[in-house]
Amino acid sequence: MRVPRKNRWSRFATLLAGLCLLLVGALIFREFLFGGKVLLYTDIGTDSMVVFYAEFVHLSNYIRSQGFPSWSFYTGMGQDLACATGYLVWQPVSWLPRNLIAPALVFQHLGKVLITGLFFFRFLQLRRLHSPAPLLGSLLLSFSAYMCIG
């Protein structure tokens, strides 16, 4: 069965957009991918290290020792971890062992950038924008300050 020409072009354009997103991401985050740095901020964005990284490590240790998140006595007098089960889906680094979480944060972020960029690229294609606009739009959204810091 032959694939219509329009579908082949759409698949090729999506693949090209994905490669562009990965190339720009590798260029922007090269220090974290190849330079041995970790994507944890110690200045104005310390909540990435003090709050989120600590929660990822705690959840990782908990699911390895106890199983499904419920009540944990490792924080103060105890705390319910059922609300953190969303991290298991939205923050996949929480499945990793403790020593791999910090280096894997950049890959998790690039995965989210790639997914967001490809969805937005396809959305702009469906809105019938012409050739360079969907790629530019997906690049601008994926590497905006909201995506990089948020």
Side-chain angles (χ1 to χ4, degrees):
M1 186 161 131
R2 286 186 59 141
V3 177
R5 179 172 277 207
K6 190 173 185 177
N7 282 348
R8 277 189 278 164
W9 168 248
S10 177
R11 288 181 184 168
F12 176 73
T14 304
L15 179 66
L16 183 66
L19 289 174
C20 287
L21 287 165
L22 283 176
L23 180 67
V24 171
L27 183 67
I28 290 174
F29 295 105
R30 68 184 172 276
E31 295 290 324
F32 304 106
L33 289 170
F34 312 115
K37 294 185 178 180
V38 291
L39 192 61
L40 291 170
Y41 303 105
T42 57
D43 52 0
I44 195 143
T46 57
D47 56 342
S48 71
M49 188 170 62
V50 175
V51 178
F52 297 111
Y53 176 70
E55 288 180 6
F56 297 154
V57 169
H58 177 82
L59 187 59
S60 173
N61 290 339
Y62 190 88
I63 61 176
R64 281 177 174 43
S65 64
Q66 306 296 324
F68 190 78
S70 60
W71 191 265
S72 171
F73 287 104
Y74 293 103
T75 53
M77 294 294 288
Q79 176 179 340
D80 184 21
L81 287 183
C83 62
T85 56
Y87 277 173
L88 298 174
V89 175
W90 300 116
Q91 309 290 348
V93 295
S94 57
W95 287 99
L96 297 174
R98 176 185 198 147
N99 59 335
L100 296 179
I101 291 176
L105 285 171
V106 69
F107 296 104
Q108 175 180 283
H109 182 71
L110 282 176
K112 289 179 180 181
V113 163
L114 183 65
I115 290 169
T116 302
L118 289 176
F119 273 126
F120 196 63
F121 176 79
R122 189 67 185 130
F123 169 75
L124 293 176
Q125 275 187 329
L126 291 173
R127 300 293 303 157
R128 294 191 177 104
L129 281 142
H130 295 290
S131 194
L135 178 61
L136 182 62
S138 68
L139 285 168
L140 290 174
L141 174 69
S142 296
F143 297 104
S144 65
Y146 180 77
M147 278 295 295
C148 289
I149 299 298

